[in-house]
Amino acid sequence: MRIRIVDAFTDRPFAGNPAGVLLLDAFPDDTWLQNVAMEVNHAETAFAHRLPEGGEADWALRWFTPVAEVDMCGHATLATAHVLRATGAHEGPVRFATRSGVLIATPREDGSITLDFPTAPLTRVDVPDGVADALGALPGAVFDTGPHVGDLLLELADEKTVHALTPDHKALAAFSRRGIIATARAEDPARGYDFVSRCFFPNVGIDEDPVTGSAHTALAPFWSERLGRPALTGLQASARSGRVRVELRGDRTLLSGNAVTVIEGELHA
């Protein structure tokens, strides 16, 4: 079968977040799916198969890190929609049946793809004891992001603090189901982004995720309230870096970006 590596939330190779994508006839057993994801060894590998016509979704979609299946993944969904369009396997908007309900990906004339995801419910919580030491910075506010995202969102003092983080990944694992989203307001919005973030997910085998679509379903309501606008652009300041355009629409968040196929080959396992 064909396997592809796609860089998502970028318009150039070797940036954004890489994801493995496999289009299947049906889902094999979970052990095989997990082994393929471990072999690919990117933050996520997406597996999709076509569903019968007339249902609420067009394709079934699952996401695996090298060590676990996850409830939601933005960049691997974007990568899958990109592959469906590039190969002609699906034209127009595609509805994915996932653990997080039906997610819609809509291709745009400019080459980008817009994802329609549920907005993460934010609940302010006390700053957990020890989180500042584990992260390497003192958060000003901390929010739980709900069951599907499964992170703690931490607001930091400024963009420079986010860039300078060198966290203790093992210690961070104690504070949430998946990991930590660290964020701050952009120092200079003239650079083309409104806020900056970094994401650390030790509990699913990812010390730092390059660009995280699911995290932006929490970042969108967080920064929309503070900046007074529903449409914003976030910079995820990982080593690979990437930008996510977000638009808050109540209980739904639109995430937009580009994707590039970097590798295509045969899987023989």
Side-chain angles (χ1 to χ4, degrees):
M1 66 194 74
R2 303 299 289 174
I3 183 169
R4 298 166 176 87
I5 305 299
V6 177
D7 289 345
F9 292 115
T10 181
D11 58 3
R12 58 188 175 88
F14 315 123
N17 201 350
V21 178
L22 287 94
L23 304 183
L24 308 168
D25 294 328
F27 290 137
D29 66 83
D30 288 4
T31 300
W32 185 88
L33 297 172
Q34 188 63 73
N35 282 338
V36 171
M38 182 173 60
E39 188 77 8
V40 172
N41 201 32
H42 285 313
E44 304 286 350
T45 298
F47 303 91
H49 71 77
R50 194 187 305 271
L51 294 172
E53 294 184 5
E56 66 172 4
D58 307 302
W59 290 74
L61 178 62
R62 296 172 71 180
W63 314 280
F64 286 76
T65 77
V67 300
E69 184 172 9
V70 298
D71 288 344
M72 181 186 291
C73 179
H75 88 276
T77 304
L78 181 67
T80 304
H82 167 78
V83 168
L84 291 177
R85 179 173 63 177
T87 61
H90 190 95
E91 295 184 1
V94 55
R95 301 168 299 167
F96 292 113
T98 77
R99 280 187 170 192
S100 296
V102 175
L103 308 176
I104 301 173
T106 303
R108 303 298 182 188
E109 291 184 1
D110 64 0
S112 66
I113 295 171
T114 296
L115 308 178
D116 184 335
F117 271 42
T119 300
L122 299 181
T123 304
R124 186 157 186 167
V125 297
D126 293 336
V127 178
D129 291 340
V131 74
D133 289 337
L135 185 64
L138 180 65
V142 179
F143 292 80
D144 182 88
T145 60
H148 289 310
V149 176
D151 300 328
L152 283 184
L153 187 155
L154 279 60
E155 183 181 15
L156 301 185
D158 51 38
E159 181 175 343
K160 292 179 181 178
T161 302
V162 174
H163 283 282
L165 291 174
T166 55
D168 180 337
H169 298 288
K170 185 176 180 179
L172 282 183
F175 297 104
S176 65
R177 183 167 58 85
R178 185 174 72 163
I180 298 293
I181 305 167
T183 188
R185 189 187 301 251
E187 182 178 285
D188 181 8
R191 294 174 180 169
Y193 55 92
D194 302 289
F195 60 88
V196 65
S197 67
R198 289 176 68 188
C199 294
F200 309 103
F201 303 141
N203 286 326
V204 291
I206 305 166
D207 283 347
E208 180 167 4
D209 197 35
V211 190
T212 314
S214 59
H216 282 76
T217 67
L219 290 162
F222 182 84
W223 286 111
S224 179
E225 179 179 351
R226 283 155 182 75
L227 300 178
R229 290 182 284 120
L232 302 164
T233 298
L235 171 71
Q236 194 154 331
S238 66
R240 292 175 63 99
S241 188
R243 298 191 185 198
V244 183
R245 300 188 300 276
V246 301
E247 183 176 344
L248 185 64
R249 294 188 176 180
D251 63 354
R252 308 296 296 183
T253 294
L254 303 184
L255 312 170
S256 297
N258 293 78
V260 181
T261 300
V262 177
I263 298 172
E264 181 175 351
E266 295 287 340
L267 178 67
H268 295 285

